[in-house]
Amino acid sequence: MKTTTQVAVIGGGVVGASVLYHLTKLGWSDVMLLERSELTSGSTWHAAGGFHTLNGDTNMAALQGYTIKLYKELEAITGMSCGLHHVGGVTLADNQDRFDMLVAERAKHRYMGLETEIVGPAEIAKIAPITNLDGIIGGLYDPLDGHLDPSGTTHAYAKAARMGGATIELHTKVLETNPRADGTWDVVTDKGTIHAEHVVNAAGLWAREVAAMAGHYVPLHPMEHQYLITEETPEIYERDVEHPHVMDPAGESYLRQEGRGLCIGFYEQPCRPWAVDGTPWEFGHELLPDNLDKIEDSVAFAFNRFPVLERAGIKSVIHGPFTFAPDGNPLVGPVPGLRNYWSACGVMAGFSQGGGVGLMLAQWMVDGECERDVTAMDVGRYGNWISPGYTRPKVVENYQRRFSVSYPNEELPAARPHRTTPMYEVFSDLGAVWGHQFGLEVVNYFATGDEPTFETPSFRRSNAFDATAREVKNVRQAVGINEVHNFGKFDVTGQNARAWLDRIMAGRIPKVGRLSLTPMLSPKGRLLGDFTVSCLAEDHFRLTASYGAQAIHQRWFDLHVEQGVRVENISDKVNGFQIAGPRARDLLAACTRDPVDLAFLDVRPMVIGQVNTLVQRVSYTGDLGYEIYCDPMDQRQLWQTLWDAGQPMGITPFGMRAMMSLRLDRFFGSWLAEFSPDYTAAETGMDRFISFKKSTDFIGRAAAEAERANPPARILAAFAVDADDADVTAYEPVFIDGTVQGFCTSGGYSHHAGKSIALALIPRAEAHEGRKVQIEILGDLRDATLITTPLFDADGTRMRG
């Protein structure tokens, strides 16, 4: 066995084998895989082997499409069979909400190049004739759906990797992973120690145990899962072609042909977490005892949906564990806080996603960044606040909702509230309807009177509509207040702080007492963050950005930190409020003896009431506004001062639903909507904040300069939409002259202007005032007109004056 390697991949399931293969595909041949037993031990060997492209996240759907198309390439490379069955599949809808979701997904697929189609009951009867269509409205047909041989596919990955120079060590158990001072690792096995530059945790069921060897917690949990194989069924084996997949969300089941019979699996409500206190090392090629009582209701529903099942005998029961993350997506990428340690865990749908996971991780390791935004599966999307006690109920919730309708405004209740600020009870008493971000409770809106304190999930305008309109009106006419807790915040200090920020950030670094807005770019010029940088002293800067991205941003800072610079995440050490609206300056003046003559983009310490604060003249509402930061221990006192002084001015609290409506009035973009690693600064208009005049060779400068010389083909534009009762959320296709030439990044309703607004990426040549397009919303083509004049404060006099 080798004693040194560039990469040690731990785990020989389909994901580990895919990572190994893709590393060799991208040119890293000195790589090895360590497997404690045989390839496929764990979850892979007993997987049902189905694959599909349907996923609510478009990047995940694209990676699933890549995975499926990769299998034929693997067969060609290795000469081995993956046992492919491209039979197609249909997902059924038995109510309008399910159908709306499928129609919305089909719309996304239009610009992704996926050839799915909406089908009615008559077409479903031809596609899947064993289906009882009582109550079925329609479905989504995907010709790429199918299944394969899990063992054959994993061994094909392994052979392709070996052909690229990789080595695979079976029956080699990893005992320890110990970091060296230079960032490399000693991987201690029962056959000796391997010195590795990089370690990849692809240990599947044992990922928690392997992560613990490196001193970190990976938020996943195994769940018991059961599927049945029937005896031979005439309605199946007498067909001329193989029966396609059928996903029946109402019955929480998936069905496909297996030989001359059927395979049907369930995501039952009375589900059970497995190995709560850790996965036994001796487990591997075993199954769990049958537990048909657990799926009794699901089986009864399936007998009604697929009557042939009632006549078919059960040939075998497959009952085994596989892992979920709290939101069901994989946990991939560099682990925050560890150097050269990578995660490839929690890949619940290994044969739909394994190829894409392997490709993205290999690109990340070899090139330093991925070709697309992988935030949805970035292991950094969870912070160090997460625990097994939080993970387990969220995993159960996700398992139970595997086939549930996913609404754009939905807030799931399990394990909440988890993290709260000092204002939680105060806002709850005022009627707060809560959302959450990065484990933290965030007010979505405030219900008053008899309004319910729960937002009904919907693809259309929800019962939050009137409350949001009320809050928007108050901000525009008087003064509104909300928390600034959902900003990520960092202190950058030290003698080299300014020079370091000049290199990390593409924009201008401000003078003392001022702030600036700046993008943070990857080497390829893609957006890694949109930041406010405030200069508190020549050696002290404050950064604010997305709260949910704080661990990802800290990881980037740690990767690039230099001597003479200290970066501290203070996201939860500083809190406060923002006030916005035409009376905001009056409110501030009523609460302090300090001058309130802050110019736009000024930052200044102030005493407000009894509290020492830091005040910034900036607002995401696009209105006159201030961000007021304080110690969380002082926050309730600060609130009382502002609240009492604001009563004669009509002060009203507002939430994120109003905030997202207000920002549309000025066409302000939002992180992970308009601004994400999928896009560049020049595509999204963020290039106006890049300082091309500064001499620093900031990260991403060459790419940004190239786009400055040759502008990208697409650009962000705003549209007024002739909507009905549903607004743009994201990824709706934009039809220009009858063909799909763009897609929406976000949208919603401007309560101030009384208009439905969409932001979309379209061809630069088409982006001119008054351009007529059509945007598909829930299957309807809605007329839309490109607008360039902001709907509020078009000349900026209120925001800047």
Side-chain angles (χ1 to χ4, degrees):
M1 184 175 71
K2 294 196 309 181
T3 57
T4 63
T5 187
Q6 189 173 8
V7 182
V9 178
I10 303 172
V14 65
V15 175
S18 172
V19 170
L20 195 72
Y21 162 65
H22 281 93
L23 285 170
T24 64
K25 186 176 182 179
L26 295 188
W28 282 15
S29 58
D30 181 19
V31 295
M32 68 189 305
L33 183 147
L34 304 172
E35 166 55 46
R36 54 180 266 296
S37 182
E38 299 284 349
L39 293 180
T40 77
S41 297
S43 296
T44 297
W45 76 271
H46 62 71
F51 54 78
H52 56 88
T53 59
L54 185 62
N55 191 297
D57 183 276
T58 54
N59 278 307
M60 292 302 300
L63 291 175
Q64 290 175 195
Y66 165 81
T67 300
I68 294 167
K69 294 173 182 177
L70 174 65
Y71 293 132
K72 288 186 178 179
E73 179 183 327
L74 276 179
E75 288 184 330
I77 292 170
T78 64
M80 297 177 66
S81 172
C82 293
L84 292 176
H85 296 257
H86 276 290
V87 296
V90 61
T91 301
L92 306 177
D94 68 328
N95 60 47
Q96 190 60 48
D97 277 358
R98 290 193 199 281
F99 191 69
D100 283 348
M101 184 180 76
L102 297 180
V103 169
E105 290 304 309
R106 169 63 189 120
K108 296 175 185 178
H109 296 165
R110 291 190 196 280
Y111 72 83
M112 294 171 64
L114 297 175
E115 298 299 324
T116 57
E117 61 178 301
I118 296 295
V119 290
E123 294 166 290
I124 296 172
K126 297 175 183 177
I127 295 167
I130 66 170
T131 307
N132 174 5
L133 295 172
D134 289 349
I136 297 299
I137 297 174
L140 179 72
Y141 178 72
D142 186 348
L144 283 180
D145 272 14
H147 57 277
L148 46 65
D149 169 25
S151 178
T153 300
T154 305
H155 282 275
Y157 273 125
K159 181 176 179 180
R162 285 190 180 103
M163 292 169 66
T167 59
I168 297 176
E169 297 293 340
L170 304 179
H171 302 286
T172 304
K173 182 180 178 182
V174 173
L175 305 174
E176 300 175 21
T177 56
N178 300 317
R180 292 188 179 186
D182 63 356
T184 62
W185 293 81
D186 286 328
V187 181
V188 181
T189 78
D190 57 0
K191 293 184 178 178
T193 298
I194 302 157
H195 180 213
E197 183 179 344
H198 299 270
V199 171
V200 177
N201 180 358
L205 291 174
W206 295 269
R208 294 174 296 173
E209 287 72 24
V210 170
M213 294 177 188
H216 82 98
Y217 169 67
V218 57
L220 55 79
H221 198 91
M223 295 293 293
E224 298 180 2
H225 181 67
Q226 214 161 187
Y227 64 90
L228 312 176
I229 306 295
T230 74
E231 301 283 359
E232 294 185 353
T233 306
E235 290 88 343
I236 296 300
Y237 67 72
E238 290 178 356
R239 286 172 53 87
D240 294 332
V241 295
E242 189 170 353
H243 196 280
H245 288 209
V246 184
M247 276 63 69
D248 181 22
E252 301 158 342
S253 71
Y254 58 88
L255 173 142
R256 66 169 175 82
Q257 183 170 337
E258 174 68 21
R260 291 163 63 87
L262 290 166
C263 165
I264 183 166
F266 306 98
Y267 286 86
E268 69 284 355
Q269 292 302 299
C271 58
R272 288 181 54 181
W274 182 75
V276 172
D277 295 317
T279 302
W281 285 109
E282 63 274 12
F283 188 84
H285 282 281
E286 301 85 358
L287 289 173
L288 306 178
D290 297 349
N291 187 351
L292 297 181
D293 290 344
K294 185 166 55 115
I295 59 173
E296 181 179 4
D297 291 343
S298 299
V299 170
F301 195 100
F303 281 178
N304 180 61
R305 180 69 73 211
F306 309 105
V308 297
L309 290 172
E310 200 164 12
R311 302 189 296 272
I314 302 301
K315 180 179 178 181
S316 59
V317 178
I318 310 299
H319 191 201
F322 66 120
T323 57
F324 277 81
D327 60 3
N329 278 343
L331 297 161
V332 180
V335 174
L338 297 177
R339 293 172 63 189
N340 298 331
Y341 191 99
W342 306 79
S343 178
C345 308
V347 188
M348 174 272 301
F351 293 98
S352 291
Q353 299 174 342
V357 165
L359 175 65
M360 291 300 101
L361 188 63
Q363 288 181 350
W364 219 331
M365 297 175 73
V366 175
D367 300 330
E369 59 182 293
C370 305
E371 67 185 50
R372 62 176 65 247
D373 178 17
V374 293
T375 303
M377 65 178 183
D378 191 332
V379 66
R381 70 186 184 275
Y382 295 107
N384 56 16
W385 51 268
I386 200 166
S387 70
Y390 176 92
T391 297
R392 191 162 54 254
K394 294 304 287 187
V395 164
V396 169
E397 178 183 62
N398 189 273
Y399 184 98
Q400 292 172 327
R401 294 182 50 77
R402 179 77 175 91
F403 283 139
S404 296
V405 179
S406 295
Y407 299 92
N409 66 330
E410 190 166 29
E411 296 285 351
L412 302 180
R416 292 179 56 202
H418 183 67
R419 311 183 80 219
T420 60
T421 76
M423 293 302 298
Y424 184 76
E425 287 77 16
V426 174
F427 283 159
S428 291
D429 289 344
L430 290 172
V433 179
W434 295 96
H436 74 293
Q437 183 184 29
F438 205 65
L440 178 69
E441 294 297 309
V442 178
V443 179
N444 280 337
Y445 66 96
F446 290 87
T448 61
D450 295 331
E451 292 174 341
T453 55
F454 175 78
E455 183 178 6
T456 303
S458 177
F459 289 98
R460 292 169 168 78
R461 293 170 188 161
S462 76
N463 60 325
F465 191 81
D466 291 343
T468 303
R470 182 172 61 241
E471 293 172 18
V472 166
K473 180 179 180 181
N474 197 75
V475 171
R476 292 292 185 236
Q477 294 185 355
V479 61
I481 184 169
N482 76 351
E483 273 189 286
V484 290
H485 60 323
N486 58 332
F487 288 153
K489 312 169 195 79
F490 300 87
D491 264 355
V492 181
T493 56
Q495 60 183 359
N496 295 329
R498 176 177 292 276
W500 183 77
L501 283 170
D502 242 337
R503 188 173 72 84
I504 292 294
M505 300 295 173
R508 178 181 53 83
I509 306 305
K511 297 178 181 179
V512 175
R514 295 284 288 168
L515 63 87
S516 65
L517 307 178
T518 172
M520 185 169 72
L521 305 180
S522 77
K524 295 181 181 178
R526 295 183 177 273
L527 294 169
L528 297 182
D530 61 320
F531 282 82
T532 298
V533 179
S534 306
C535 183
L536 311 186
E538 195 55 41
D539 59 354
H540 185 186
F541 296 82
R542 174 77 48 86
L543 312 181
T544 55
S546 166
Y547 186 86
Q550 62 182 270
I552 294 172
H553 287 153
Q554 182 72 61
R555 182 178 63 196
W556 185 255
F557 297 149
D558 289 345
L559 182 64
H560 295 281
V561 74
E562 299 171 354
Q563 194 169 12
V565 179
R566 182 172 183 264
V567 182
E568 182 187 2
N569 184 349
I570 59 167
S571 298
D572 298 317
K573 295 180 180 180
V574 173
N575 206 339
F577 304 96
Q578 72 159 313
I579 55 174
R583 301 298 304 276
R585 184 182 287 111
D586 297 338
L587 175 58
L588 192 62
C591 298
T592 183
R593 298 181 63 84
D594 293 328
V596 295
D597 57 342
L598 286 82
F600 184 60
L601 303 183
D602 271 358
V603 55
R604 185 185 303 172
M606 297 179 71
V607 178
I608 298 179
Q610 302 173 199
V611 178
N612 291 315
T613 72
L614 184 73
V615 180
Q616 301 191 154
R617 172 78 189 280
V618 67
S619 177
Y620 191 50
T621 65
D623 213 316
L624 170 64
Y626 304 86
E627 294 173 356
I628 307 170
Y629 295 93
C630 68
D631 187 314
M633 295 293 286
D634 296 330
Q635 191 179 5
R636 292 281 286 267
Q637 175 59 234
L638 177 60
W639 162 262
Q640 205 61 55
T641 297
L642 293 168
W643 185 246
D644 290 346
Q647 292 306 307
M649 304 176 195
I651 190 170
T652 301
F654 67 101
M656 288 305 297
R657 294 284 185 262
M659 179 78 83
M660 298 309 282
S661 174
L662 290 160
R663 61 107 183 179
L664 290 175
D665 295 341
R666 293 298 306 271
F667 312 148
F668 288 169
S670 176
W671 183 245
L672 294 186
E674 285 67 47
F675 310 139
S676 87
D678 271 336
Y679 314 131
T680 67
E683 289 177 323
T684 57
M686 286 292 283
D687 56 337
R688 68 186 184 276
F689 297 116
I690 293 178
S691 177
F692 289 105
K693 293 181 179 179
K694 67 181 184 180
S695 59
T696 311
D697 186 20
F698 57 82
I699 296 173
R701 177 160 196 154
E705 293 276 15
E707 283 203 319
R708 190 184 187 198
N710 296 289
R714 62 185 183 181
I715 192 170
L716 191 67
F719 292 89
V721 186
D722 180 17
D724 185 12
D725 62 345
D727 302 299
V728 159
T729 55
Y731 299 112
E732 293 85 352
V734 178
F735 289 77
I736 300 177
D737 297 333
T739 62
V740 176
Q741 298 188 45
F743 63 93
C744 297
T745 52
S746 74
Y749 193 78
S750 165
H751 289 276
H752 170 74
K755 295 180 180 180
S756 183
I757 301 298
L759 301 179
L761 283 165
I762 63 169
R764 182 176 295 269
E766 303 293 344
H768 54 81
E769 178 75 28
R771 184 58 163 105
K772 304 292 185 181
V773 304
Q774 290 183 307
I775 297 174
E776 182 178 351
I777 303 177
L778 297 181
D780 293 331
L781 290 180
R782 312 300 303 188
D783 292 336
T785 304
L786 193 150
I787 53 177
T788 57
T789 302
L791 305 172
F792 169 78
D793 194 28
D795 58 2
T797 54
R798 192 137 114 191
M799 183 174 71
R800 299 172 183 273

